[in-house]
Each structure stands twice: as C-alpha cells, then as structure tokens.
Amino acid sequence: DQQVKQNSPSLSVQEGRISILNCDYTNSMFDYFLWYKKYPAEGPTFLISISSIKDKNEDGRFTVFLNKSAKHLSLHIVPSQPGDSAVYFCAREYGNKLVFGAGTILRVKS
Amino acid sequence: NAGVMQNPRHLVRRRGQEARLRCSPMKGHSHVYWYRQLPEEGLKFMVYLQKENIIDESGMPKERFSAEFPKEGPSILRIQQVVRGDSAAYFCASSGDRANQPQHFGDGTRLSIL
C-alpha cells in the first residue's frame, strides 16, 4: 500500500511569514515526490518535485525537504503571500500513477 | 493555450444516462492519465493511456467505466448507466516521455448526477 498522508487538514499563516506543509509516506524505495497547488474549480498546478536521491530542492519561494529516515517531506513557502491561499497536495509517483494525499488548506492572512 | 484541455467543464446527467468526458493533452505529450476526486477527498488514479493503448487501468471501476486515447483526437472517459455515486470532479493529466516529468492537469469536468 503506497500511502501518502497529510495529517493537517488546514493551516493559517500571516502574510510574510513561513508556511510549512507536511507529508508522510510509507514503503519507501526509489521515489519521486511532487507538490501541487489547487484553487477552487481549477485543476492541480505543479509546484515543485524532489527525487529520493536528494534531500532538498528549491525553486524561488518554494523549498521541499525530504527526510528519508523519517519518511517525511515538507514544503516551505517563504515569504507567504495571500495568493498562496489554496489547497496543497503532496503526491508520490508509483509506477505510472500519482498517489495523492488528502490535501492541506493553506490560508494566508494579510 | 498549450495546457491540458478538458470539456465539458460541467456535465449534468440523469441516472442511467451515459457521460462522456474529453481530454486533449498538452502539445507534445503522449501520456494521458485520468483521476477522480470525490467530495472532501484527494485525487484517485483511474487509468493511464498512451496513444491507442491502455497501459494501467488498475483504478478503474470494473463495470460501466471505459477509457480510450485514439490515434487521432482527444482521450475519452466514458461512464455508462451513471449512478449518483459517480458525481465527482474528473481530472485529466498529461506528461512527456522523459522519466520523472511532472504530470500537468486540466481544470477538470464536474459531473453531477440527478
């Protein structure tokens, strides 16, 4: 069972501060993880990814950290902006398909 | 717009009717995936297709659901004899041929069954 779990249904952050979204997974092997952002009535938009041969990947305000021993990854958004308010999904590539977490609603307050 | 195009955006059907959902992948992409999102849940994989071939249909319900990606034209997800439980958002994604390429998603079709 290639589970991906996002245990926090929601997160509220002040504008300009750091947002940290978390994700846990099971049954590790060589893996490729992705983060998507989703606005209401739109499809998921790819944000950033990381291969399990790395510990960190950075793209502008977005950084993903992978802790293989803890089977945990996190997405850091610095600084957070009101436009970042959305649902964030972590996903794991398993074969040819993506396995998604249930999502975390991020609200950035101005 | 070179993104993944899905139509219709909204589809209303009565129980027992057929629903056809269409997806045109991004230009240059030959891999198409369908996902379903039920209310309050994450996206769940349904099927993966390449041109004229179903590669993985492990997430497809055994009955009433089918998918195709013909040589010409969009990919089609077909649901026969729809039931209320089929109400969901159906998303299509596409990717290129290189390994570890992210899947890019369309804006989905919201299917409502009366």
Side-chain angles (χ1 to χ4, degrees):
Chain A
D1 185 13
Q2 304 294 325
Q3 282 201 344
V4 176
K5 285 190 175 180
Q6 294 177 256
N7 292 316
S8 299
S10 64
L11 174 68
S12 187
V13 171
Q14 197 67 35
E15 181 180 6
R17 306 295 290 269
I18 184 171
S19 295
I20 300 177
L21 299 125
N22 295 301
C23 184
D24 297 304
Y25 62 94
T26 59
N27 297 338
S28 63
M29 46 191 295
F30 177 77
D31 276 312
Y32 179 58
F33 297 93
L34 308 92
W35 283 94
Y36 285 84
K37 176 171 76 173
K38 186 180 180 305
Y39 294 118
E42 293 185 13
T45 301
F46 170 71
L47 278 176
I48 192 168
S49 61
I50 188 166
S51 160
S52 58
I53 61 173
K54 293 186 173 182
D55 299 321
K56 174 182 173 181
N57 189 24
E58 191 171 355
D59 184 1
R61 296 186 299 115
F62 302 93
T63 303
V64 56
F65 296 92
L66 180 61
N67 183 332
K68 289 180 280 292
S69 60
K71 298 182 182 178
H72 178 85
L73 67 157
S74 59
L75 174 67
H76 293 211
I77 306 173
V78 181
S80 301
Q81 300 172 354
D84 295 330
S85 297
V87 181
Y88 288 78
F89 292 97
C90 72
R92 172 187 195 170
E93 190 172 80
Y94 178 59
N96 296 114
K97 62 191 175 192
L98 295 178
V99 179
F100 283 87
T104 297
I105 300 170
L106 174 65
R107 297 185 185 89
V108 180
K109 298 175 289 186
S110 55
Chain B
N1 185 350
V4 178
M5 302 301 294
Q6 289 188 249
N7 67 83
R9 290 295 311 276
H10 302 274
L11 183 60
V12 180
R13 285 288 178 265
R14 296 187 180 281
R15 282 178 295 171
Q17 291 184 320
E18 179 180 285
R20 283 188 178 233
L21 289 62
R22 288 177 291 277
C23 169
S24 296
M26 281 181 73
K27 189 174 180 180
H29 285 187
S30 59
H31 304 257
V32 167
Y33 314 81
W34 286 92
Y35 293 81
R36 177 166 65 175
Q37 186 182 25
L38 296 170
E40 309 300 323
E41 295 186 13
L43 284 76
K44 297 285 196 305
F45 169 80
M46 299 180 75
V47 63
Y48 160 47
L49 311 101
Q50 293 181 27
K51 280 290 186 182
E52 300 185 277
N53 289 303
I54 296 174
I55 308 301
D56 180 353
E57 55 181 348
S58 59
M60 287 278 269
K62 293 285 183 274
E63 297 176 345
R64 301 186 299 108
F65 285 71
S66 62
E68 63 177 9
F69 189 16
K71 188 176 180 181
E72 301 291 337
S75 175
I76 305 286
L77 179 68
R78 182 184 179 204
I79 311 172
Q80 296 177 288
Q81 299 172 355
V82 295
V83 300
R84 288 240 170 94
D86 297 332
S87 295
Y90 292 82
F91 293 97
C92 170
S94 71
S95 68
D97 289 327
R98 291 200 330 253
N100 287 356
Q101 275 202 333
Q103 295 179 19
H104 294 273
F105 284 80
D107 283 336
T109 294
R110 273 137 192 94
L111 177 63
S112 298
I113 309 302
L114 302 180

